[in-house]
DNA sequence: AATCCGGGGAG
DNA sequence: CTCCCAGGATT
């Protein structure tokens, strides 16, 4: 007798997203698990479209769990640079080392969840996709899909458990991986947060939220706390075409990534004054502000930064004080040789605007206190 | 239970 | 622009 979720698997068979980590799963279970692990950690808090290029490049650099385990963390962060949540890269690296030391991949979700960086979702995803274990993998998509199917708004904490129980009771024992991925794909492409496309949904007939006309308002959205805007300054110190970039110390924001040095602007201070002070206190270097190159904004989870970029002139050799390491690199080199954060990239782009960027109006916004045209290296 | 971690897409 | 999305670790 057909189960109520058969239409879902039928839909998935024809409408599954084509994603690199789904192509040609290797017959070696450990290699299969490794690829799944990399993709699932990258997919935490990150959309599939964004992950694709990172995943492909990452596997070219680290084709096996051994390659990743033996690599220095700096190489791993370089491949991760721009993807965000850099703690994930450290955890993934540590997980690879744990698996490598162990000699074989943990085969069950109950064991996988003890690897660094793997929680209930990721452990369930790897176990079901790579090993076929019949366990739930409840991410934000699945949570939303099940909430609508059942017409129940999941509570913030206990809600996940109920969704997991629902999935567990319906998961086909021999199709666990496809079932979990089908739920996720449905949430990503059809059962989307706002204005779900119920006309395209294979489960619309059994959807209770749909029956009650509340599909657009379930699950309820959490109230978000506004993110404070912090004023900061970044310093461009160029010597013969090479720009000072520093490694941001951890733990904390952007730990382990690189970029031109930056710091807060104290109330009442100007970006130029703070830039000079930053070089003096952070690197023991006397400098003078030459020009303001622009202002870049960057949003984190709990705060936003407005970073004024100031080019300075200085002589002599810096000494790293508050920062762990520094180098002088041309912007192109910085992109290739260190883990340049997205913020660091934006700051460097005030110096060398992209040639293929749209017109001047769509680019850098000099904003409120007046900016200037981008400068050139001397 | 609350807070800390980036970045990007849709509207 | 503004809103909105999406797991795990830590305390």
């Amino acid at each position: 007798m057909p189960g109520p979720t058969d239409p879902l698997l039928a839909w998935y068979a024809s409408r599954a997203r084509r994603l690199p980590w789904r192509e040609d799963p290797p017959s070696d279970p450990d290699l299969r698990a490794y690829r799944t692990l990399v993709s699932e950690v990258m997919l935490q808090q990150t959309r599939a479209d964004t992950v694709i290029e990172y995943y492909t490049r990452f596997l070219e650099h680290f084709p096996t769990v051994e390659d990743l385990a033996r690599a220095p963390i700096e190489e791993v962060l370089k491949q991760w640079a721009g993807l965000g949540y850099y703690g994930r890269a450290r955890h993934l690296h540590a997980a690879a080392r744990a698996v490598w030391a162990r000699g074989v991949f943990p085969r069950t979700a109950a064991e996988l969840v003890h690897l660094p960086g793997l929680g209930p979702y990721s452990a369930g995803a790897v176990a079901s996709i790579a090993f076929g274990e019949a366990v739930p993998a409840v991410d934000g998509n699945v949570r939303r899909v099940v909430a609508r199917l059942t017409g129940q708004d999941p509570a913030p904490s206990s809600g996940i458990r109920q969704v997991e129980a629902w999935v567990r009771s319906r998961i086909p024992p021999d199709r666990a991986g496809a079932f979990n991925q089908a739920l996720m794909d449905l949430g990503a492409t059809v059962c989307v947060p706002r204005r779900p496309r119920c006309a395209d949904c294979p489960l619309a007939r059994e959807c209770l939220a749909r029956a009650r006309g509340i599909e657009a308002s379930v699950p309820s959205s959490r109230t978000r706390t506004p993110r404070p805007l912090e004023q900061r300054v970044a310093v461009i110190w160029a010597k013969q075409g090479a720009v000072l970039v520093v490694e941001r110390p951890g733990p904390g924001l952007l730990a382990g990534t690189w970029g031109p040095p930056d710091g807060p602007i104290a109330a009442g201070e100007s970006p130029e004054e703070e830039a000079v002070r930053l070089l003096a206190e952070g690197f023991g270097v006397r400098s003078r502000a030459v020009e303001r190159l622009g202002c870049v904004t960057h949003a984190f989870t709990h705060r936003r930064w407005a970073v004024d970029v100031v080019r300075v002139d200085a002589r002599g050799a810096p000494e790293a004080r508050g920062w762990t390491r520094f180098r002088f690199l041309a912007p192109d080199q910085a992109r290739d040789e260190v883990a340049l954060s997205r913020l660091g990239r934006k700051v460097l782009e005030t110096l060398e605007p992209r040639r293929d960027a749209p017109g001047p109006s769509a680019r850098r916004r000099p904003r409120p206190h007046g900016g200037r045209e981008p400068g050139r290296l001397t």
Side-chain angles (χ1 to χ4, degrees):
Chain A
M1 173 175 124
T5 47
D6 280 0
L8 177 62
L9 287 176
W11 173 85
Y12 185 68
S14 62
R15 311 301 292 271
R17 290 177 292 177
R18 296 284 302 268
L19 299 167
W21 47 92
R22 292 179 177 173
E23 301 290 323
D24 307 316
S27 56
D28 173 12
D30 278 48
L31 186 54
R32 215 164 56 227
Y34 171 65
R35 293 186 185 177
T36 310
L37 173 72
V38 172
S39 67
E40 287 302 336
V41 174
M42 286 186 170
L43 286 164
Q44 291 168 4
Q45 301 292 98
T46 310
R47 287 177 173 80
D49 281 349
T50 303
V51 167
I52 291 174
E53 62 169 291
Y54 286 90
Y55 171 85
T56 305
R57 193 157 42 88
F58 197 92
L59 277 197
E60 283 170 7
H61 277 83
F62 314 112
T64 69
V65 72
E66 176 180 358
D67 296 316
L68 180 55
R70 296 168 78 97
I73 183 62
E74 288 83 1
E75 286 302 309
V76 182
L77 281 169
K78 244 169 73 177
Q79 299 308 314
W80 205 274
L83 195 52
Y85 288 117
Y86 296 94
R88 294 184 296 170
R90 301 176 194 288
H91 291 316
L92 178 60
H93 188 227
R97 294 195 157 173
V99 171
W100 176 240
R102 212 170 169 276
V104 61
F105 249 89
R107 289 291 201 269
T108 66
E111 299 170 289
L112 285 161
V113 78
H114 293 114
L115 290 176
L118 295 206
Y121 162 73
S122 306
V126 174
S128 61
I129 296 170
F131 300 126
E133 189 185 5
V135 290
V138 177
D139 70 349
N141 287 314
V142 177
R143 179 176 174 276
R144 183 175 58 255
V145 168
V146 174
R148 287 174 174 160
L149 279 174
T150 62
Q152 307 240 338
D153 197 1
S157 59
S158 62
I160 290 293
R161 293 312 180 121
Q162 294 171 357
V163 172
E164 284 175 344
W166 187 94
V167 172
R168 202 181 293 277
S169 71
R170 303 181 181 239
I171 192 165
D174 57 337
R175 304 288 309 279
F179 183 76
N180 283 335
Q181 293 182 92
L183 283 174
M184 294 188 245
D185 275 28
L186 191 66
T189 63
V190 173
C191 196
V192 292
R194 287 176 299 184
R195 298 174 57 94
R197 298 185 252 280
C198 299
D200 300 329
C201 181
L203 304 179
R205 288 195 313 156
E206 55 180 292
C207 179
L208 291 184
R210 168 79 168 155
R212 298 172 189 166
I214 57 171
E215 68 274 10
S217 53
V218 171
S220 60
S221 57
R222 304 201 337 253
T223 60
R224 303 161 194 285
T225 58
R227 292 175 287 190
L229 181 64
E230 298 173 2
Q231 299 290 334
R232 297 178 67 89
V233 64
V235 179
I236 299 283
W237 175 12
K239 285 168 96 171
Q240 290 140 16
V243 177
L244 174 67
V245 291
V246 302
E247 183 184 27
R248 199 178 294 267
L253 226 47
L254 300 174
T257 64
W258 292 65
D262 64 73
I265 297 180
E269 297 293 310
S270 71
E272 287 82 358
E273 288 168 327
E274 291 287 8
V276 169
R277 194 178 59 79
L278 189 58
L279 271 194
E281 293 182 0
F283 300 93
V285 165
R286 294 166 57 97
S287 64
R288 67 182 182 87
V290 174
E291 62 175 336
R292 184 170 166 278
L293 293 168
C295 180
V296 304
T297 60
H298 197 69
F300 300 95
T301 311
H302 285 77
R303 65 193 109 208
R304 294 175 303 150
W305 283 359
V307 184
D308 280 306
V309 184
V310 173
R311 190 163 73 88
V312 303
D313 197 10
R315 353 191 116 265
E319 46 180 279
R321 292 179 177 174
W323 307 86
T324 37
R325 286 183 286 189
F326 67 84
R327 296 175 66 178
F328 279 91
L329 295 173
D332 283 347
Q333 275 185 311
R335 279 187 272 270
D336 293 340
E337 297 186 18
V338 296
L340 189 65
S341 67
R342 204 61 120 191
L343 173 64
R345 176 182 292 244
K346 288 181 194 170
V347 170
L348 288 176
E349 278 177 359
T350 65
L351 194 58
E352 295 190 317
R354 291 157 46 95
R355 294 281 173 252
D356 58 343
S361 62
R363 263 207 55 73
R364 194 176 45 82
R365 209 146 306 254
R367 284 201 333 115
H369 22 302
R372 322 189 14 157
E373 282 310 298
R376 285 279 167 270
L377 297 180
T378 48

